[in-house]
Amino acid sequence: MRLARKDLLGLKEINKEEISLILDTSESLKEILERDIKKVPTLRGKTVINLFYEPSTRTRTSFELAGKRLNADVVNISTSVSSMVKGETIRDTVRNIEAMNPDIIVIRHPVPGAPYFIANLIKSSVINAGDGAHEHPTQALLDLYTIREKKGRLEGLRVAIIGDIAHSRVARSNIYGMLKMGMDVTVAGPATMIPLYIERMGVKVTTDIDRAIEGVDVIMMLRIQLERQIENLFPSLREYSRLFGLNLDRLEMAKEDVIIMHPGPINRGVEIAPEVADGPHSLILDQVTNGVAVRMALLYLLAGG
Ligand code: CP
């Protein structure tokens, strides 16, 4: 089976059936990661290029592992060791990479829309690994997978996404994906970090985190993205933590079987207390594990099928 599309650029443009296909394929492939020999020949002879213009630990490593687990040739390019530092444009960089005939280019770029620009430029498949504050579709897919794995379903579940909504590509992709899968989404955070008119996407909005977490099945905490803020949006980290951080006292008020998620990297003691991040409700490391399976599924569905 293949995805009937060349690229995976965002969850805005894919439908419920495609999301289900990706999650089901991830489930089949996850078993490979638990074997003693974690490798299958599925993508032998295929080439995956990871092109990262922004730092990454989880996404880049898991795309590399995903390609290698499927026996693809994987090449990593980062800005610091490429000709980008000599002033080569993204257009020239990508067209030169394309001349080497890769099957898939995975790109992370600070400019929203950069992966769309590249996808229109080349014949290889393009996967968006995060474009500015726009979308991070593979993160949302691994989040959906992790929730479904734990809860057994997605439809009807209630989710609170809390923190720096305005700068979060993870929030945006999750909102698209979760609503398509029939989930009920509330976003919460300081008013300065909630985009105007976000309720038009179909989510509920509050600045009261205690109200947001009441009765929900999933709490997704987000990092404050200081690198994308051009002005101070809150008085101090201490104040932010007191008003919007998830600590043990707040967790007491949540549902007994609530699950806690965070895309990483975590600001420990700011948006989430260490005891919560490392506690029994946390699925943060499960998200990372599942990221490899979900990215294997995407490489397989786009390049192999
Ligand atoms: N969640 C996420 O995108 O993490 P990295 O920035 O480490 O890839």
Side-chain angles (χ1 to χ4, degrees):
M1 213 176 289
R2 283 183 83 124
L3 275 175
R5 55 178 63 247
K6 176 173 92 66
D7 312 296
L8 191 276
L9 301 174
L11 292 201
K12 184 176 182 184
E13 53 266 8
I14 80 171
N15 62 37
K16 183 177 179 177
E17 288 66 39
E18 289 175 292
I19 294 175
S20 295
L21 172 65
I22 296 164
L23 302 190
D24 293 345
T25 309
S26 309
E27 196 173 317
S28 322
L29 293 174
K30 189 174 171 184
E31 174 266 325
I32 296 165
L33 303 175
E34 285 149 13
R35 293 183 194 167
D36 197 23
I37 309 290
K38 304 171 189 59
K39 213 169 177 82
V40 290
T42 315
L43 293 188
R44 190 168 53 202
K46 302 284 183 180
T47 306
V48 178
I49 310 258
N50 290 325
L51 182 57
F52 276 63
Y53 286 79
E54 275 188 339
S56 169
T57 299
R58 283 146 287 267
T59 312
R60 201 175 91 158
T61 309
S62 59
F63 264 115
E64 182 173 355
L65 280 176
K68 286 180 171 169
R69 299 290 187 240
L70 295 173
N71 232 315
D73 295 315
V74 182
V75 178
N76 294 314
I77 305 176
S78 60
T79 37
S80 58
V81 293
S82 75
S83 288
M84 301 165 209
V85 291
K86 299 177 201 163
E88 186 169 60
T89 64
I90 182 171
R91 187 176 193 278
D92 284 335
T93 300
V94 169
R95 293 199 72 210
N96 278 269
I97 291 171
E98 161 100 317
M100 295 180 240
N101 205 15
D103 296 280
I104 298 186
I105 296 182
V106 178
I107 179 159
R108 170 170 286 190
H109 199 280
V111 175
Y116 296 75
F117 169 73
I118 288 163
N120 281 328
L121 200 65
I122 60 175
K123 290 200 199 75
S124 313
S125 292
V126 175
I127 300 179
N128 180 1
D131 59 330
H134 179 229
E135 279 226 40
H136 192 349
T138 63
Q139 178 69 44
L141 288 165
L142 75 88
D143 292 338
L144 290 170
Y145 180 87
T146 305
I147 296 168
R148 193 178 82 163
E149 183 180 60
K150 185 69 181 179
K151 295 286 188 186
R153 67 191 168 102
L154 294 173
E155 177 102 35
L157 292 181
R158 292 181 57 203
V159 187
I161 304 178
I162 297 169
D164 186 357
I165 309 293
H167 297 96
S168 178
R169 54 196 178 199
V170 175
R172 191 180 298 266
S173 287
N174 263 300
I175 290 169
Y176 286 131
M178 287 172 171
L179 293 177
K180 282 175 188 178
M181 301 313 283
M183 300 169 80
D184 176 283
V185 183
T186 298
V187 298
T192 48
M193 292 183 180
I194 297 183
L196 282 177
Y197 310 122
I198 192 168
E199 61 281 2
R200 290 185 187 169
M201 290 181 80
V203 298
K204 298 178 189 116
V205 184
T206 177
T207 53
D208 181 347
I209 166 172
D210 295 331
R211 259 186 62 194
I213 66 177
E214 213 177 278
V216 297
D217 303 287
V218 181
I219 301 174
M220 181 176 289
M221 300 305 295
L222 300 174
R223 181 173 70 89
I224 302 172
Q225 304 207 18
L226 292 171
E227 74 275 21
R228 295 194 208 283
Q229 295 180 13
I230 49 176
E231 55 184 345
N232 280 345
L233 297 178
F234 54 91
S236 68
L237 288 178
R238 202 168 145 179
E239 184 79 357
Y240 182 89
S241 176
R242 189 175 67 77
L243 290 173
F244 300 102
L246 186 60
N247 52 34
L248 283 178
D249 289 342
R250 285 215 161 95
L251 192 55
E252 283 281 301
M253 298 188 293
K255 260 174 108 169
E256 212 170 298
D257 62 349
V258 71
I259 58 177
I260 309 298
M261 305 178 78
H262 192 306
I266 296 173
N267 291 314
R268 282 179 180 266
V270 180
E271 71 269 3
I272 190 164
E275 315 80 77
V276 178
D278 302 329
H281 294 271
S282 171
L283 294 187
I284 294 171
L285 293 180
D286 299 76
Q287 290 172 262
V288 179
T289 303
N290 291 334
V292 181
V294 169
R295 287 166 179 134
M296 282 167 76
L298 286 167
L299 296 179
Y300 167 71
L301 288 167
L302 289 173

